[in-house]
Amino acid sequence: MTADGSGRRTDALADLSRRRLLAGLGGLGAIGAASGAGTFAYLTDDERLPRNRIGAGEVALDVSCSDSSGNGGCTVSNGLVSYTPENPIDRGDWGDVTFDVSVRTNPARLWFATTCPPTRDPLGEELDVSLRVGDEWVFPSGSLSELRREFADGLRVDDRDGGACLDPEGDALEIELAWELPADAPADAGGETTAFEFRLYTEQCRHVSEGDAAGSNPYAGIDCDEPRDGCPNCDYAGKVDVDERIVRSDAGDASTWLAIDEGPLAGDAYLLVTDVEYKDDDEEAVGVRFDLVDANGDPAGELCEVRIKGGNDTATYPIEPPSTDTGETLYAPENDGGNPAGISNVQIDVCVDDDGGNGDDDDPVDCECGGNVRYRDLTFRYDGGSDAAIRVTTQRTGGGDEVVFEEATIASGGTFTADGSDVSQTWANVGTSLGQNTTIEIVSGGDSGASERVEVHTSCSEVLAIGDTFGSDGSGGTLYELVGGTFTDENALCGSEDLR
């Protein structure tokens, strides 16, 4: 623990005015769908983006960026703002990037939250960074990985310059990250690159009182796993057959990820390709680097071994320590000519608990969700004080939304059921179920300040249990409680005490 009690290093990088430490970093989540420098995003509360949210009322956001080399270097794709340095970062390199965020339509509160770092990230552990929001260095000094763990549970940023709420007529809010890779950093940290990304959540100030604003942070409670040296068991998790040309994935576009199509993680996990090497004809991939992610782009497990098949042979790569990404480009075995063969499939093993992830034999309940087992229906209790007309929709994996609870007036203490038994889905062999995200909306009525729209993640990336609560009632309490539900295999939803 350091002298300031923060647990982070206090030897802030010298001369911040000369070397503005870096700004960006893997995972603050953003809103938008555009690319290139300049203004990236204009959104309303009608847009639904995985893990990125817009709160009550219509809010439009602009996001732009510039770095120390004078380049924009930023992209926005399907809600993810991303900045990647033009060149790999080597020992002794430094730089910075600044994001300007502004609202167009109505005064709004703003939160951001980092995504958790990979459990193995040599560059992230060694890259010294500092983060400034407005006039305040909210993270004076520490590693990029420390920063990502620090703000995974969200940070309100609209009130950093004294007053609450961003004003459409005011100046843009600056978010700046300055970075430096020390000259004495380990060799495996140099010559690497990384993307710095963030998500934002915003809500109109007039829809939620300042006294209730603390309950609006959608990232509250998220906690990152600390790195570990090994895992109890390294078990087979799945395989990807390579039938088409492998391309570098777009982090914001799941259609560019390689879906696990065989094994325990089939339908639930993907390979997000971060680097590819090809044969001379630039068509067939011979090497690949990837992250293991779920449908939301979040880590789906820790890789402990990867096998790359090419030709008649298979190359085996232990991942030590276990990590959510491969850490380097992995190659297919060499052919008779001494060159890497084209990749025909990729097999992965992941860390599992001592019981193999299946619990004890005397466990009387089955709380598993994933693969061919999804949420069929969920029943919620409405805890608002005033009657409200409520409607519920869920996403279809093929695109669009489906109503799963028709608009009806619900009294305080009344229940309603989101039923996905007639909603066709394309993932795994489920057939029908609730989609990746299910949205509860108050169409009319309800309490002043209560959440108008509440999104529940129903993709199995987050475990749901009876007793979970969602939304704000506008008076410091929650708006909905999950009181029942059924999986597609007919098993009932579990209570929190039953979850493994």
Side-chain angles (χ1 to χ4, degrees), residues 394-409:
T394 197
Q395 290 179 329
R396 293 193 304 269
T397 49
D401 295 325
E402 187 86 13
V403 175
V404 289
F405 179 74
E406 296 284 353
E407 180 181 336
T409 299

Side-chain angles (χ1 to χ4, degrees), residues 148-392:
R148 293 176 66 176
R149 296 187 193 100
E150 177 88 2
F151 297 118
D153 59 353
L155 175 70
R156 184 174 170 184
V157 296
D158 63 276
D159 58 352
R160 295 288 154 176
D161 288 336
C165 301
L166 294 181
D167 186 350
E169 304 299 324
D171 295 334
L173 175 69
E174 287 190 350
I175 299 174
E176 180 185 15
L177 185 76
W179 58 268
E180 181 178 20
L181 185 61
D184 58 355
D188 62 349
E192 298 291 331
T193 190
T194 186
F196 307 111
E197 307 164 342
F198 64 87
R199 296 186 179 104
L200 302 173
Y201 173 89
T202 184
E203 68 180 9
Q204 274 194 31
C205 290
R206 66 182 183 181
H207 282 273
V208 180
S209 69
E210 186 62 28
D212 295 331
S216 297
N217 178 10
Y219 311 108
I222 295 177
D223 189 23
C224 299
D225 292 334
E226 295 293 330
R228 61 181 180 182
D229 295 331
C231 56
N233 297 284
C234 185
D235 287 1
Y236 173 70
K239 182 175 77 169
V240 174
D241 287 314
V242 177
D243 300 320
E244 299 178 351
R245 185 174 185 266
I246 299 177
V247 297
R248 186 189 298 264
S249 298
D250 179 342
D253 183 359
S255 68
T256 65
W257 309 347
L258 299 179
I260 303 291
D261 49 27
E262 179 182 307
L265 291 184
D268 290 320
Y270 304 80
L271 308 186
L272 193 156
V273 177
T274 56
D275 191 30
V276 190
E277 290 197 24
Y278 301 100
K279 288 185 176 181
D280 293 338
D281 59 9
D282 199 35
E283 287 296 325
E284 194 171 17
V286 298
V288 64
R289 177 175 179 171
F290 58 84
D291 299 337
L292 180 63
V293 300
D294 64 14
N296 288 318
D298 297 324
E302 293 182 329
L303 298 164
C304 49
E305 185 172 288
V306 175
R307 294 176 294 282
I308 308 288
K309 184 176 181 181
N312 296 320
D313 297 320
T314 298
T316 300
Y317 296 92
I319 307 299
E320 298 175 344
S323 175
T324 55
D325 77 308
T326 60
E328 62 183 351
T329 301
L330 308 181
Y331 295 90
E334 294 182 351
N335 56 27
D336 293 339
N339 298 311
I343 297 174
S344 58
N345 69 56
V346 179
Q347 299 182 53
I348 61 170
D349 293 354
V350 299
C351 291
V352 298
D353 296 333
D354 287 326
D355 63 359
N358 293 320
D360 298 327
D361 291 340
D362 58 358
D363 191 341
V365 293
D366 186 354
C367 304
E368 296 294 334
C369 183
N372 294 331
V373 179
R374 303 285 175 164
Y375 298 111
R376 186 185 70 186
D377 57 73
L378 297 173
T379 299
F380 299 87
R381 187 183 68 234
Y382 170 61
D383 289 335
S386 303
D387 293 359
I390 293 175
R391 177 177 60 209
V392 187

